[in-house]
Every structure is written in structure tokens, then in C-alpha cells.
Amino acid sequence: MKKIIGYIAGGIALLFVAGLIFSEEFRMEMKLIWITVTGSTIDKLELQLDQGELALSRYDQAVRLQQNKLAKLYGVIKDAEMGEKKNKEKAADYRKEGKEDLALRHEEAAKKCREQANLAGSKVEKMEESLKKVKNLRERARADVNIARQNIATLKTMEDALDDSGIQELLDKAEQNVTNLQSQCNQIEAEIEVLSLTD
């Protein structure tokens, strides 16, 4: 029985160490728990900002993926427009030769190419609009991170010199920026979900 408990404890310890080594999110969670128990308000705010920056980096990656999809859609539009043009030219040539059945087939193919280009074009419009929103939200969130970092740096350097009311005012400002950042991250996440649905 002791051996089994030893193996279980060893397994749990191994999983914990592996989580700390390989998972940035797990490390952040452990750091959050530690700072919540032992840290100051400033430490907690800094950790929240670190989490916000981690979220922003994930959103950067999601934006890059969507930009790659957009580039592919532009390729689809270009190919479809080229196909439409070629099929219309072939239809005209066949019509001159009196081959009406072949001309009609190429006209139908040109029509399908136009439909593909239009469909891809409407997806491009929706995706571009969502990407623009995500980029704007992300810029505002980055500004919130920078402002909060400045407030926290001021807090650290002036903590001893300021009276309680001065410290509280700076803490309130820093907390408000962190709240803004969390709100921005939630909005960005919602916009990225919308982007994924338009694929």
C-alpha cells in the first residue's frame, strides 16, 4: 500500500514538474497562486498584466492565421477571375466557329467562376472587417498594458515616499488599466471567435 501511495505521489510530482517546464499557462497559474498567497497588490497587478500580455501574444498568432487565410482567399478570387476571363474568350472563339454547344459550356464555366469569385469576395469583406476590429482592440489593449506598467513602475519607485492616499490613487489607476485590459482581451477573444465562424 505504501508503495502505491509512493508511486501516486511520485507521479503527481512528476506531472507538476512537467507542467512547470512545458506549460507557460501552468507556470502562470502557479505564479498567480503563489503571489495571491504571499505577494503585495503591486505583485498581483504585475502578474495580471503578464497574463494579459500572454493573451495578446495568442491573439497576435490568431490574427496571423486569419491573414494567411485572407491571402488564400485573394488567390481564389484571382484564379476565379482568370478562369472567368479565359472561359469567356473560349466561348467567343467557339461561337465564331459555329460551335454553339461548346460556347454555352464555356459560358456556364465562366458563370461558375464568377460565382466563386463573388463568394470569396464576400468572405474577404467579412474577414477584413473582423480583422480590423481585432487589430484596433489589440492596439488599445497594448496601450492599457503600457499605461498600467508605467503606473506600477511609479508605484514601486515612490511607494516609500507617498502617503497612503497617494499610493491608493496610483493603485486605483493601475487596477483600472488592468480591468480595461481584461475587457479588451474578452472583446478580442469574441472577435476572433466571430472570425473563425466566417471561415
Side-chain angles (χ1 to χ4, degrees):
M1 189 67 171
K2 286 182 181 179
K3 275 188 177 182
I4 293 171
I5 292 171
Y7 286 136
I8 291 171
I12 291 170
L14 188 63
L15 284 173
F16 182 79
V17 171
L20 288 175
I21 294 170
F22 297 111
S23 172
E24 190 172 358
E25 287 185 21
F26 184 72
R27 278 195 304 273
M28 194 69 78
E29 288 297 323
M30 291 300 102
K31 192 174 175 185
L32 178 61
I33 290 167
W34 177 254
I35 287 176
T36 301
V37 173
T38 64
S40 68
T41 304
I42 295 172
D43 293 334
K44 290 171 189 171
L45 287 171
E46 278 191 316
L47 185 60
Q48 284 177 296
L49 284 177
D50 290 343
Q51 289 175 311
E53 285 183 339
L54 180 63
L56 288 174
S57 69
R58 285 197 304 265
Y59 301 144
D60 287 339
Q61 187 178 8
V63 166
R64 281 192 296 275
L65 287 171
Q66 293 303 327
Q67 285 171 330
N68 289 340
K69 289 179 183 180
L70 256 180
K72 287 178 185 175
L73 279 174
Y74 284 128
V76 167
I77 291 169
K78 187 177 177 184
D79 291 346
E81 287 174 344
M82 188 69 72
E84 179 187 21
K85 183 181 175 186
K86 285 182 179 178
N87 278 302
K88 281 183 176 178
E89 287 170 358
K90 284 184 180 180
D93 290 342
Y94 281 126
R95 194 157 276 122
K96 283 179 190 174
E97 294 171 13
K99 299 176 179 175
E100 189 61 26
D101 59 331
L102 288 172
L104 289 171
R105 284 184 181 177
H106 282 285
E107 282 176 350
E108 190 60 35
K111 187 179 172 185
K112 283 181 182 173
C113 287
R114 172 48 37 207
E115 288 170 1
Q116 287 174 345
N118 289 342
L119 179 63
S122 69
K123 285 191 173 190
V124 161
E125 282 178 27
K126 288 177 186 174
M127 198 176 286
E128 281 178 340
E129 191 178 317
S130 287
L131 268 174
K132 189 177 177 182
K133 284 181 187 174
V134 168
K135 286 177 180 177
N136 287 338
L137 289 167
R138 198 179 50 179
E139 280 180 40
R140 293 202 315 248
R142 281 204 199 291
D144 284 333
V145 167
N146 292 332
I147 291 166
R149 288 248 181 252
Q150 289 165 7
N151 287 338
I152 288 169
T154 304
L155 275 170
K156 281 184 163 181
T157 55
M158 299 180 72
E159 197 168 14
D160 293 333
L162 290 172
D163 60 10
D164 289 343
S165 62
I167 286 283
Q168 193 55 51
E169 187 180 336
L170 283 171
L171 272 173
D172 290 344
K173 283 182 184 175
E175 284 175 4
Q176 185 55 53
N177 281 109
V178 170
T179 302
N180 290 347
L181 173 63
Q182 289 166 339
S183 173
Q184 293 292 343
C185 287
N186 290 341
Q187 284 182 279
I188 292 168
E189 197 165 0
E191 286 296 334
I192 286 172
E193 282 179 23
V194 169
L195 263 180
S196 300
L197 292 174
T198 59
D199 293 348

PDB file of all heavy atoms in Angstrom, residues 36-53:
ATOM      1  N   THR A  36      -0.825  35.367  -4.955  1.00  0.00           N
ATOM      2  CA  THR A  36      -2.080  35.605  -4.228  1.00  0.00           C
ATOM      3  C   THR A  36      -1.896  35.340  -2.733  1.00  0.00           C
ATOM      4  O   THR A  36      -2.401  36.058  -1.890  1.00  0.00           O
ATOM      5  CB  THR A  36      -3.200  34.706  -4.794  1.00  0.00           C
ATOM      6  OG1 THR A  36      -3.369  35.010  -6.178  1.00  0.00           O
ATOM      7  CG2 THR A  36      -4.514  34.936  -4.087  1.00  0.00           C
ATOM      8  N   VAL A  37      -1.117  34.297  -2.420  1.00  0.00           N
ATOM      9  CA  VAL A  37      -0.895  33.936  -1.016  1.00  0.00           C
ATOM     10  C   VAL A  37       0.146  34.850  -0.367  1.00  0.00           C
ATOM     11  O   VAL A  37      -0.034  35.285   0.770  1.00  0.00           O
ATOM     12  CB  VAL A  37      -0.449  32.453  -0.916  1.00  0.00           C
ATOM     13  CG1 VAL A  37      -0.041  32.094   0.504  1.00  0.00           C
ATOM     14  CG2 VAL A  37      -1.565  31.538  -1.390  1.00  0.00           C
ATOM     15  N   THR A  38       1.225  35.164  -1.092  1.00  0.00           N
ATOM     16  CA  THR A  38       2.364  35.840  -0.445  1.00  0.00           C
ATOM     17  C   THR A  38       2.622  37.266  -0.928  1.00  0.00           C
ATOM     18  O   THR A  38       3.320  38.011  -0.247  1.00  0.00           O
ATOM     19  CB  THR A  38       3.657  35.039  -0.677  1.00  0.00           C
ATOM     20  OG1 THR A  38       3.948  35.026  -2.085  1.00  0.00           O
ATOM     21  CG2 THR A  38       3.532  33.629  -0.160  1.00  0.00           C
ATOM     22  N   GLY A  39       2.101  37.649  -2.104  1.00  0.00           N
ATOM     23  CA  GLY A  39       2.528  38.898  -2.726  1.00  0.00           C
ATOM     24  C   GLY A  39       1.731  40.120  -2.321  1.00  0.00           C
ATOM     25  O   GLY A  39       0.689  40.044  -1.676  1.00  0.00           O
ATOM     26  N   SER A  40       2.280  41.264  -2.740  1.00  0.00           N
ATOM     27  CA  SER A  40       1.612  42.546  -2.494  1.00  0.00           C
ATOM     28  C   SER A  40       0.616  42.826  -3.616  1.00  0.00           C
ATOM     29  O   SER A  40       0.562  42.111  -4.618  1.00  0.00           O
ATOM     30  CB  SER A  40       2.657  43.665  -2.465  1.00  0.00           C
ATOM     31  OG  SER A  40       3.211  43.832  -3.764  1.00  0.00           O
ATOM     32  N   THR A  41      -0.154  43.883  -3.460  1.00  0.00           N
ATOM     33  CA  THR A  41      -1.107  44.291  -4.509  1.00  0.00           C
ATOM     34  C   THR A  41      -0.369  44.586  -5.806  1.00  0.00           C
ATOM     35  O   THR A  41      -0.839  44.248  -6.896  1.00  0.00           O
ATOM     36  CB  THR A  41      -1.882  45.542  -4.046  1.00  0.00           C
ATOM     37  OG1 THR A  41      -2.503  45.253  -2.810  1.00  0.00           O
ATOM     38  CG2 THR A  41      -2.928  45.952  -5.064  1.00  0.00           C
ATOM     39  N   ILE A  42       0.793  45.225  -5.704  1.00  0.00           N
ATOM     40  CA  ILE A  42       1.582  45.554  -6.902  1.00  0.00           C
ATOM     41  C   ILE A  42       1.996  44.274  -7.620  1.00  0.00           C
ATOM     42  O   ILE A  42       1.892  44.179  -8.847  1.00  0.00           O
ATOM     43  CB  ILE A  42       2.822  46.396  -6.521  1.00  0.00           C
ATOM     44  CG1 ILE A  42       2.375  47.752  -5.961  1.00  0.00           C
ATOM     45  CG2 ILE A  42       3.739  46.591  -7.720  1.00  0.00           C
ATOM     46  CD1 ILE A  42       3.489  48.599  -5.379  1.00  0.00           C
ATOM     47  N   ASP A  43       2.458  43.265  -6.869  1.00  0.00           N
ATOM     48  CA  ASP A  43       2.842  41.978  -7.476  1.00  0.00           C
ATOM     49  C   ASP A  43       1.660  41.349  -8.209  1.00  0.00           C
ATOM     50  O   ASP A  43       1.802  40.807  -9.310  1.00  0.00           O
ATOM     51  CB  ASP A  43       3.343  41.001  -6.404  1.00  0.00           C
ATOM     52  CG  ASP A  43       4.655  41.443  -5.776  1.00  0.00           C
ATOM     53  OD1 ASP A  43       5.414  42.172  -6.442  1.00  0.00           O
ATOM     54  OD2 ASP A  43       4.906  41.071  -4.615  1.00  0.00           O
ATOM     55  N   LYS A  44       0.491  41.422  -7.591  1.00  0.00           N
ATOM     56  CA  LYS A  44      -0.713  40.836  -8.211  1.00  0.00           C
ATOM     57  C   LYS A  44      -1.067  41.561  -9.510  1.00  0.00           C
ATOM     58  O   LYS A  44      -1.417  40.934 -10.516  1.00  0.00           O
ATOM     59  CB  LYS A  44      -1.881  40.878  -7.231  1.00  0.00           C
ATOM     60  CG  LYS A  44      -1.715  39.916  -6.064  1.00  0.00           C
ATOM     61  CD  LYS A  44      -2.764  40.128  -4.992  1.00  0.00           C
ATOM     62  CE  LYS A  44      -2.416  39.307  -3.756  1.00  0.00           C
ATOM     63  NZ  LYS A  44      -3.235  39.606  -2.613  1.00  0.00           N
ATOM     64  N   LEU A  45      -0.957  42.884  -9.483  1.00  0.00           N
ATOM     65  CA  LEU A  45      -1.242  43.661 -10.699  1.00  0.00           C
ATOM     66  C   LEU A  45      -0.250  43.316 -11.801  1.00  0.00           C
ATOM     67  O   LEU A  45      -0.631  43.165 -12.961  1.00  0.00           O
ATOM     68  CB  LEU A  45      -1.195  45.166 -10.402  1.00  0.00           C
ATOM     69  CG  LEU A  45      -2.362  45.739  -9.614  1.00  0.00           C
ATOM     70  CD1 LEU A  45      -2.081  47.179  -9.213  1.00  0.00           C
ATOM     71  CD2 LEU A  45      -3.657  45.662 -10.425  1.00  0.00           C
ATOM     72  N   GLU A  46       1.030  43.187 -11.441  1.00  0.00           N
ATOM     73  CA  GLU A  46       2.041  42.830 -12.439  1.00  0.00           C
ATOM     74  C   GLU A  46       1.746  41.471 -13.055  1.00  0.00           C
ATOM     75  O   GLU A  46       1.882  41.281 -14.258  1.00  0.00           O
ATOM     76  CB  GLU A  46       3.436  42.813 -11.806  1.00  0.00           C
ATOM     77  CG  GLU A  46       4.048  44.180 -11.700  1.00  0.00           C
ATOM     78  CD  GLU A  46       5.518  44.100 -11.320  1.00  0.00           C
ATOM     79  OE1 GLU A  46       5.871  43.311 -10.422  1.00  0.00           O
ATOM     80  OE2 GLU A  46       6.299  44.848 -11.935  1.00  0.00           O
ATOM     81  N   LEU A  47       1.341  40.526 -12.219  1.00  0.00           N
ATOM     82  CA  LEU A  47       1.026  39.191 -12.718  1.00  0.00           C
ATOM     83  C   LEU A  47      -0.177  39.231 -13.660  1.00  0.00           C
ATOM     84  O   LEU A  47      -0.189  38.575 -14.702  1.00  0.00           O
ATOM     85  CB  LEU A  47       0.764  38.231 -11.563  1.00  0.00           C
ATOM     86  CG  LEU A  47       0.538  36.779 -11.982  1.00  0.00           C
ATOM     87  CD1 LEU A  47       1.741  36.228 -12.719  1.00  0.00           C
ATOM     88  CD2 LEU A  47       0.222  35.919 -10.783  1.00  0.00           C
ATOM     89  N   GLN A  48      -1.186  40.018 -13.300  1.00  0.00           N
ATOM     90  CA  GLN A  48      -2.351  40.149 -14.178  1.00  0.00           C
ATOM     91  C   GLN A  48      -1.945  40.733 -15.528  1.00  0.00           C
ATOM     92  O   GLN A  48      -2.437  40.321 -16.575  1.00  0.00           O
ATOM     93  CB  GLN A  48      -3.417  41.030 -13.519  1.00  0.00           C
ATOM     94  CG  GLN A  48      -4.174  40.313 -12.420  1.00  0.00           C
ATOM     95  CD  GLN A  48      -5.170  41.231 -11.740  1.00  0.00           C
ATOM     96  OE1 GLN A  48      -4.797  42.217 -11.114  1.00  0.00           O
ATOM     97  NE2 GLN A  48      -6.438  40.913 -11.881  1.00  0.00           N
ATOM     98  N   LEU A  49      -1.030  41.694 -15.500  1.00  0.00           N
ATOM     99  CA  LEU A  49      -0.547  42.268 -16.755  1.00  0.00           C
ATOM    100  C   LEU A  49       0.223  41.233 -17.571  1.00  0.00           C
ATOM    101  O   LEU A  49       0.105  41.185 -18.797  1.00  0.00           O
ATOM    102  CB  LEU A  49       0.339  43.485 -16.489  1.00  0.00           C
ATOM    103  CG  LEU A  49      -0.390  44.757 -16.100  1.00  0.00           C
ATOM    104  CD1 LEU A  49       0.597  45.855 -15.794  1.00  0.00           C
ATOM    105  CD2 LEU A  49      -1.335  45.214 -17.200  1.00  0.00           C
ATOM    106  N   ASP A  50       1.031  40.400 -16.890  1.00  0.00           N
ATOM    107  CA  ASP A  50       1.750  39.328 -17.593  1.00  0.00           C
ATOM    108  C   ASP A  50       0.762  38.401 -18.292  1.00  0.00           C
ATOM    109  O   ASP A  50       0.976  37.994 -19.439  1.00  0.00           O
ATOM    110  CB  ASP A  50       2.605  38.510 -16.612  1.00  0.00           C
ATOM    111  CG  ASP A  50       3.788  39.302 -16.084  1.00  0.00           C
ATOM    112  OD1 ASP A  50       4.142  40.335 -16.700  1.00  0.00           O
ATOM    113  OD2 ASP A  50       4.360  38.902 -15.049  1.00  0.00           O
ATOM    114  N   GLN A  51      -0.334  38.070 -17.599  1.00  0.00           N
ATOM    115  CA  GLN A  51      -1.365  37.214 -18.208  1.00  0.00           C
ATOM    116  C   GLN A  51      -2.003  37.909 -19.408  1.00  0.00           C
ATOM    117  O   GLN A  51      -2.280  37.283 -20.426  1.00  0.00           O
ATOM    118  CB  GLN A  51      -2.432  36.859 -17.173  1.00  0.00           C
ATOM    119  CG  GLN A  51      -1.938  35.899 -16.113  1.00  0.00           C
ATOM    120  CD  GLN A  51      -2.991  35.670 -15.042  1.00  0.00           C
ATOM    121  OE1 GLN A  51      -3.576  36.617 -14.507  1.00  0.00           O
ATOM    122  NE2 GLN A  51      -3.223  34.422 -14.712  1.00  0.00           N
ATOM    123  N   GLY A  52      -2.227  39.222 -19.267  1.00  0.00           N
ATOM    124  CA  GLY A  52      -2.791  39.990 -20.386  1.00  0.00           C
ATOM    125  C   GLY A  52      -1.878  39.987 -21.584  1.00  0.00           C
ATOM    126  O   GLY A  52      -2.317  39.814 -22.721  1.00  0.00           O
ATOM    127  N   GLU A  53      -0.573  40.146 -21.349  1.00  0.00           N
ATOM    128  CA  GLU A  53       0.381  40.132 -22.459  1.00  0.00           C
ATOM    129  C   GLU A  53       0.447  38.756 -23.116  1.00  0.00           C
ATOM    130  O   GLU A  53       0.580  38.649 -24.336  1.00  0.00           O
ATOM    131  CB  GLU A  53       1.767  40.570 -21.966  1.00  0.00           C
ATOM    132  CG  GLU A  53       1.832  42.072 -21.734  1.00  0.00           C
ATOM    133  CD  GLU A  53       3.205  42.551 -21.308  1.00  0.00           C
ATOM    134  OE1 GLU A  53       4.002  41.729 -20.801  1.00  0.00           O
ATOM    135  OE2 GLU A  53       3.463  43.751 -21.473  1.00  0.00           O
TER     136      GLU A  53
END
